[in-house]
Amino acid sequence: MSRSAHPAGPRHADVLPEGHYAAPAADLNALDPKVWAHTVGRDADGVVTVGGIAVTQLAEEYGTPAYILDEADFRDRARAWRTAFGADADVFYAGKAFLSRAVVRWLDEEGLNLDVCSGGELATALSAGMPAERIAFHGNNKSPQEIERAVRAGVGRIVLDSFQEIVRVAHIAQSLGKRQRVQIRITVGVEAHTHEFIATAHEDQKFGIPLADGQAAEAVRRALQLDGLEVIGIHSHIGSQIFDMSGFEVAAHRVVGLLKDIRDEHGVELPEIDLGGGLGIAYTSDDDPREPHEIAKALTEIVTRECEGARLRTPRISVEPGRAIVGPTAFTLYEVGTVKPLDGLRTYVSVDGGMSDNIRTALYDAEYSVALVSRTSDAEPMLVRVVGKHCESGDIVVKDAFLPGDLAPGDLIAVPATGAYCRSMASNYNHVLRPPVVSVRDGAARVVVRRETEEDLLRLDVG
Ligand SMILES: *Cc1c(COP(=O)(O)O)cnc(C)c1O
């Protein structure tokens, strides 16, 4: 759901009513620290730098498009979450937002745990040395092979998502002579997006076991009877890009209600509750996300209060931020290829990537901002749409933005806050090669995921 004041925008070059767009930022050369990684700034020549390196140098060395990841910022944000929640809680980074071996090592060093939701993500985590007991395995349709691999590796928890999976995991664990620690993922009938939440949402989705009709209670009843499982808690994940904490309040109330029912029926107090991820970030200057310490304080207070009301010991809390850690730490660096003014409408700016490196605009109508980064300009602002090079008119990276009117082919522009769900959702559409992820820190850059090559493409095509 878009939080924008204007209606879910037209995807093509429609004529738009007067005043449809926000006025351009006063200074197009300014870089709002809310949407850019921490070490981003401009040097004396007006060139944007990150981690002490000019983007012009990065473009020359690594080519464009490229995802540029600020390692210091990533570590800062990871540490801020860790510190905010403290020793009595766990922070699991949601690997699906962006996962690479470098990121796994940073997380390990900063004391975070890791969520994976496929065999591929599990393999990446293990190959980078993340201790298995700090990995949680998610997914609504884990294959028996994936489950076996996770159990053998000794993952700290598997989050069970269906009645069939309860039996499947129990059986596999038992056949391996193990007792697997599990959480049960429930849907509490809360749906949260950005600024609004629905407390009475239908549980009409593929994830989790509905609290309604006693299904979640029945799942716990069955799981508690199986020797292959050690039930350690209940899991709830309510949405994405959330700014409003009230959805968590309702979710926690309902999860704690279930914990109380479990205590009353079985005489056990489950020791953990996981409130999932979904915390929002600033994609544009209009977004005002909360700081990790505010989120930690709010969630801890909510759970503590609910447990006191239910006369339960407060369980260990865990959270699973993905976007909120990696999202703001990277930007996508593009070179402008063509600039096509359409009289009375807008100017189409084509870049050397597009929906293959950022599908979120096409998929979710997501909003992004953009800036000219290879120089400054005092030219008049022009209304632009930043589009890619794909054979698809919905191939839009930034729907509505302002860039300087003297923008020209060869200029470098960058789209901030592309750290989450861009490289991880990237495709080879039109056989376009997926961009590299280049991490920068203290004046040094290194490739953490290299650019795809034509050989990579042709290697899969066995003729
Ligand atoms: C997607 C997901 C997350 C992470 O969501 P973000 O919006 O990136 O914070 C966490 N937990 C679960 C179960 C998820 O499905």
Side-chain angles (χ1 to χ4, degrees), residues 299-327:
L299 292 182
T300 309
E301 278 174 9
I302 292 166
V303 173
T304 306
R305 191 178 60 232
E306 289 295 333
C307 287
E308 275 168 8
R311 292 167 191 274
L312 286 165
R313 271 191 303 277
T314 304
R316 189 174 178 87
I317 299 171
S318 51
V319 288
E320 304 174 324
R323 186 193 319 264
I325 291 176
V326 71

Side-chain angles (χ1 to χ4, degrees), residues 14-328:
D14 308 342
V15 180
L16 294 162
E18 222 27 67
H20 184 78
Y21 295 101
D27 178 6
L28 289 186
N29 298 317
L31 301 165
D32 184 347
K34 264 200 300 190
V35 299
W36 292 91
H38 284 158
T39 71
V40 167
R42 284 192 194 266
D43 67 15
D45 299 326
V47 177
V48 167
T49 64
V50 55
I53 308 177
V55 292
T56 42
Q57 190 187 331
L58 291 167
E60 206 173 289
E61 224 156 289
Y62 303 102
T64 55
Y67 303 100
I68 309 296
L69 176 58
D70 182 343
E71 177 182 344
D73 191 15
F74 185 99
R75 287 179 179 272
D76 283 350
R77 289 177 202 266
R79 199 176 310 130
W81 277 85
R82 188 75 210 87
T83 310
F85 278 86
D88 296 330
D90 296 301
V91 180
F92 286 76
Y93 169 79
K96 70 182 189 204
F98 172 65
L99 196 63
S100 77
R101 290 193 275 194
V103 157
V104 174
R105 278 185 219 106
W106 302 340
L107 292 165
D108 186 8
E109 288 165 15
E110 301 299 340
L112 275 75
N113 296 354
L114 178 62
D115 269 3
V116 299
C117 57
S118 72
E121 289 184 358
L122 179 61
T124 303
L126 293 173
S127 83
M130 177 60 85
E133 65 272 15
R134 282 166 50 200
I135 298 175
F137 189 27
H138 274 274
N140 67 301
N141 188 19
K142 309 168 190 79
S143 74
Q145 293 78 11
E146 287 173 322
I147 294 168
E148 182 174 334
R149 191 165 175 197
V151 174
R152 275 188 196 280
V155 299
R157 61 166 84 147
I158 294 181
V159 182
L160 301 175
D161 194 271
S162 66
F163 282 95
Q164 282 156 348
E165 198 171 75
I166 291 170
V167 180
R168 224 172 258 166
V169 172
H171 178 77
I172 291 171
Q174 210 171 4
S175 70
L176 293 172
K178 295 208 181 199
R179 191 143 186 262
Q180 178 61 49
R181 289 160 57 86
V182 298
Q183 288 190 341
I184 295 176
R185 179 164 175 178
I186 68 168
T187 44
V188 294
V190 172
E191 201 187 309
H193 299 281
T194 311
H195 293 297
E196 64 275 300
F197 84 100
I198 310 167
T200 53
H202 286 295
E203 291 156 323
D204 185 2
Q205 58 150 314
K206 72 170 185 169
F207 291 112
I209 299 174
L211 191 59
D213 307 331
Q215 288 199 58
E218 176 61 17
V220 172
R221 202 170 289 133
R222 292 190 196 175
L224 283 173
Q225 285 168 3
L226 296 168
D227 291 337
L229 306 182
E230 178 188 349
V231 183
I232 58 169
I234 300 296
H235 183 286
S236 154
H237 172 77
I238 56 172
S240 62
Q241 185 61 1
I242 304 168
F243 293 127
D244 179 344
M245 300 300 286
S246 45
F248 288 102
E249 198 139 348
V250 178
H253 174 75
R254 293 179 188 171
V255 170
V256 171
L258 177 62
L259 291 181
K260 181 170 176 288
D261 292 346
I262 294 167
R263 191 255 335 259
D264 293 346
E265 181 178 342
H266 307 282
V268 283
E269 294 195 21
L270 297 184
E272 293 184 14
I273 130 172
D274 189 308
L275 294 171
L279 287 313
I281 64 165
Y283 283 105
T284 74
S285 296
D286 294 338
D287 296 323
D288 287 304
R290 299 200 179 200
E291 295 293 323
H293 68 89
E294 297 173 286
I295 295 164
K297 185 163 178 286
L299 292 182
T300 309
E301 278 174 9
I302 292 166
V303 173
T304 306
R305 191 178 60 232
E306 289 295 333
C307 287
E308 275 168 8
R311 292 167 191 274
L312 286 165
R313 271 191 303 277
T314 304
R316 189 174 178 87
I317 299 171
S318 51
V319 288
E320 304 174 324
R323 186 193 319 264
I325 291 176
V326 71

